[in-house]
Amino acid sequence: MARPNRKSFAFLQFPDSESLSSFLLRAQETESVKKKYKFKQANESQQLRGKTIEEHLQARACEITEEPEELGLIRDKITPLWALSYEEQLGQKYVTVQNEYMKFLKEINIRMKKAGTIAPLWMQTPPKVLDVKPSPNIESYRNKTEFSIGYYDNEEIKVGFTNGKMAAGTLRIESPRTCTNIPEQAKDFADRLEELVKKSQLPAFDSKTNSGIWKQAVFRNSSRSLETMATIYINPTSEQEKIETLLQELFPLYTTVILITLPNTIKILNGPGFITETVLNKKYQVSPMSFFQVNTLGCEVLYKEVVDLVCGDLLLDICCGTGSIGISCSEKVKKIIGIELIAEAVADAKINAELNNIEAEYLVGRAEDLIKEVTKPIQGGNIFAVVDPPRNGLHKTILQCLRTTKGLDHVVYVSCNPVSLFQNLADLCCPENNKVRGPAFVPISIQPVDMFPQTPHIENVVYLKRSTII
Ligand SMILES: C[S@@+](CC[C@H](N)C(=O)[O-])C[C@H]1O[C@@H](n2cnc3c(N)ncnc32)[C@H](O)[C@@H]1O
């Protein structure tokens, strides 16, 4: 594969038409879940520009003639703030949020000037970013750890985290032992799986040649239910039976063991095929493909912030995952409608609503495609939308819909990325113009919550109220 710098396309080269057809089939299968791909035959001049796989690898080998960059420690990569005290970490995160907030206020000013409107009252005394709420646990807090399976220095098979760079020739897998955010149980799982992979004598994935069988693994554990879930990902192979037999050694150790043959064939080898977790006294079933907040105790702090803000007739839980935010708020609202992209997560959400005796409706699909259908029949007021999108933030269609839906006067924006958060808030809070319709929202509170100690990541809960009801 050759991907020109900063371009949203790539040239793919296949050794034969059989490989091409099987690739197109696999691409089609993954398409509906994440992205839509377009494929076309490269023309002659493009073909001339493309390199063969061998030439590509050779060129890369030549690039490695320079002294390789010194490889950093894996704990610096996974937990870059480990050397700071927890207070210093929180201080650093506060500054990150504050900086993005300042950019947002500046952007609102620019848009007001462009629209020729006068500054709304809230701009005279904008809310302050509140102090970061700390995580109750600052080490071993992750309830989900994703491991790569590959090689250390080209030879030794490892299950751990990727370190180094492909282009510098330093890419390798390292043990997670020094990373303080990972629980011992997950580290032990990595060691055990490593032994099994070695014992199998089947190749681990090699990113240089894009070949090999054992690819990755995900370990989930609940400190509340004490349940564990080991999910192992492999490339398609005629040795699947041998792998399944080997993985039986894990059965007595973990509640559930799952084998996923890429791209998406899921086989539950042992146990129920999910893990159960408790957050704010509500029970949740979490399947291997479903999102769940990775720090359970930190998640309680985060959700409590949301629950304290919500109080209405209808709650739209946008990007709802396993339904956990809506379900946490269930005592404060009459009705919940959740929208989520991943079908397995929606299946979990439906079960979770039942488990907690809550009536809720869940829709599978992209929120940007479903939001109009959901908001169109809405009548009356007192509607809350809680949005909790992935790192890249909300789609423009959703932002537009939030602004134009009558009766939807409260938005609680939960975000793991301050950059996309404040960019989206600019669209929700700027004055109306010919691109952005509907009365603006006003930021009422900005509450950072630390869910990821030892790392620079920070969650935020921002409460917005419609300007017309203030
Ligand atoms: C940060 S997670 C939040 C999940 C849930 N609110 C929670 O607290 O566990 C974001 C969720 O958005 C879902 N998602 C991603 N893109 C989406 C889209 N375009 N439409 C709907 N859901 C989406 C993901 O599958 C994931 O479950």
Side-chain angles (χ1 to χ4, degrees):
M1 179 172 135
R3 181 168 177 263
N5 253 353
R6 293 167 195 273
K7 299 279 190 222
S8 57
F9 63 87
F11 294 100
L12 305 176
Q13 195 176 34
F14 298 88
D16 48 49
S17 55
E18 205 182 312
S19 321
L20 170 63
S21 325
S22 95
F23 167 80
L24 289 174
L25 207 70
R26 280 171 61 178
Q28 248 175 20
E29 280 166 5
T30 55
E31 203 171 54
S32 56
V33 186
K34 286 200 170 154
K35 282 183 187 160
K36 290 243 177 276
Y37 302 108
K38 267 192 203 160
F39 295 102
K40 64 177 191 175
Q41 171 76 40
N43 64 33
E44 215 165 283
S45 65
Q46 287 165 336
Q47 280 178 0
L48 285 174
R49 275 197 276 141
K51 289 176 187 156
T52 63
I53 291 165
E54 291 73 23
E55 282 166 342
H56 198 64
L57 289 174
Q58 233 172 25
R60 206 173 271 145
C62 297
E63 284 160 17
I64 308 168
T65 50
E66 287 174 36
E67 224 17 57
E69 235 180 87
E70 201 172 319
L71 195 58
L73 299 172
I74 193 70
R75 76 170 165 184
D76 290 337
K77 187 177 172 193
I78 303 293
T79 50
L81 305 190
W82 68 268
L84 299 183
S85 73
Y86 191 47
E87 275 63 39
E88 287 170 324
Q89 294 184 23
L90 294 181
Q92 187 167 316
K93 292 181 193 211
Y94 185 87
V95 171
T96 306
V97 179
Q98 178 69 19
N99 285 344
E100 293 309 318
Y101 181 47
M102 288 300 146
K103 286 186 204 161
F104 155 79
L105 292 176
K106 213 167 143 188
E107 177 64 22
I108 294 287
N109 252 316
I110 293 172
R111 293 199 196 183
M112 267 171 0
K113 280 189 189 139
K114 262 195 197 158
T117 52
I118 53 157
L121 222 55
W122 71 266
M123 281 290 279
Q124 288 170 22
T125 47
K128 286 198 166 57
V129 175
L130 297 165
D131 283 345
V132 182
K133 293 249 166 162
S135 170
N137 45 358
I138 55 175
E139 290 195 345
S140 307
Y141 58 82
R142 283 196 70 100
N143 60 29
K144 179 187 180 194
T145 313
E146 291 168 51
F147 296 112
S148 297
I149 309 176
Y151 294 92
Y152 183 86
D153 281 351
N154 290 331
E155 282 165 20
E156 194 194 344
I157 284 187
K158 274 265 151 227
V159 175
F161 297 135
T162 308
N163 200 4
K165 286 188 189 128
M166 169 90 99
T170 55
L171 195 73
R172 64 198 200 184
I173 310 291
E174 291 192 28
S175 162
R177 278 284 155 202
T178 53
C179 303
T180 51
N181 59 344
I182 310 299
E184 283 305 304
Q185 219 180 2
K187 293 173 183 172
D188 291 345
F189 163 74
D191 289 348
R192 278 198 189 103
L193 184 61
E194 195 173 292
E195 286 312 307
L196 285 184
V197 175
K198 284 176 185 165
K199 199 167 153 186
S200 75
Q201 299 198 319
L202 297 170
F205 183 71
D206 183 347
S207 44
K208 286 189 207 99
T209 53
N210 200 17
S211 64
I213 294 171
W214 297 93
K215 187 98 194 272
Q216 61 207 70
V218 177
F219 186 74
R220 273 174 146 156
N221 57 289
S222 160
S223 54
R224 295 250 159 92
S225 67
L226 303 182
E227 290 175 5
T228 47
M229 177 158 72
T231 309
I232 293 99
Y233 291 73
I234 57 167
N235 275 325
T237 169
S238 54
E239 304 280 1
Q240 171 131 356
E241 232 179 274
K242 179 178 174 181
I243 290 175
E244 287 180 17
T245 310
L246 266 171
L247 290 178
Q248 284 177 8
E249 289 186 31
L250 300 177
F251 293 0
L253 301 166
Y254 305 116
T255 316
T256 199
V257 177
I258 296 168
L259 181 65
I260 299 188
T261 306
L262 292 163
N264 51 16
T265 309
I266 303 176
K267 188 164 180 187
I268 300 165
L269 300 183
N270 193 41
F274 57 82
I275 191 170
T276 45
E277 187 56 288
T278 305
V279 174
L280 295 179
N281 296 319
K282 300 274 192 292
K283 278 210 160 71
Y284 297 100
Q285 158 175 328
V286 185
S287 301
M289 306 308 273
S290 300
F291 175 91
F292 203 79
Q293 302 288 349
V294 298
N295 174 349
T296 307
L297 300 188
C299 172
E300 291 198 314
V301 179
L302 181 82
Y303 284 5
K304 182 145 191 328
E305 288 303 316
V306 182
V307 174
D308 286 348
L309 295 168
V310 168
C311 182
D313 294 331
L314 170 64
L315 171 67
L316 300 179
D317 189 355
I318 297 171
C319 299
C320 67
T322 56
S324 44
I325 293 190
I327 291 172
S328 299
C329 295
S330 56
E331 273 107 56
K332 309 272 299 283
V333 289
K334 290 185 188 148
K335 194 177 170 193
I336 299 168
I337 302 178
I339 307 179
E340 163 62 42
L341 177 69
I342 304 293
E344 285 89 343
V346 168
D348 282 348
K350 288 179 179 167
I351 290 169
N352 291 336
E354 255 181 60
L355 275 177
N356 294 288
N357 292 321
I358 287 156
E359 266 194 50
E361 199 183 310
Y362 294 101
L363 303 170
V364 183
R366 301 191 318 163
E368 51 274 32
D369 298 338
L370 296 171
I371 187 88
K372 281 193 185 135
E373 176 192 324
V374 170
T375 49
K376 216 173 172 185
I378 284 179
Q379 293 199 340
N382 219 4
I383 298 154
F384 274 73
V386 176
V387 298
D388 184 11
R391 287 193 68 73
N392 49 357
L394 287 173
H395 194 276
K396 292 263 177 211
T397 316
I398 301 175
L399 296 165
Q400 187 58 58
C401 232
L402 293 176
R403 276 192 73 140
T404 50
T405 303
K406 290 203 176 89
L408 198 168
D409 291 334
H410 310 266
V411 174
V412 180
Y413 196 136
V414 180
S415 163
C416 58
N417 180 359
V419 176
S420 60
L421 163 70
F422 286 110
Q423 282 168 354
N424 285 174
L425 291 195
D427 284 343
L428 290 171
C429 303
C430 72
E432 269 191 272
N433 56 49
N434 45 14
K435 279 194 196 137
V436 188
R437 303 258 172 230
F441 284 94
V442 172
I444 305 294
S445 60
I446 301 151
Q447 177 63 71
V449 177
D450 187 24
M451 300 255 287
F452 315 100
Q454 324 299 341
T455 81
H457 299 293
I458 179 78
E459 287 275 334
N460 278 283
V461 178
V462 177
Y463 177 38
L464 307 171
K465 227 176 184 176
R466 186 80 73 173
S467 52
T468 47
I469 64 159
I470 287 178

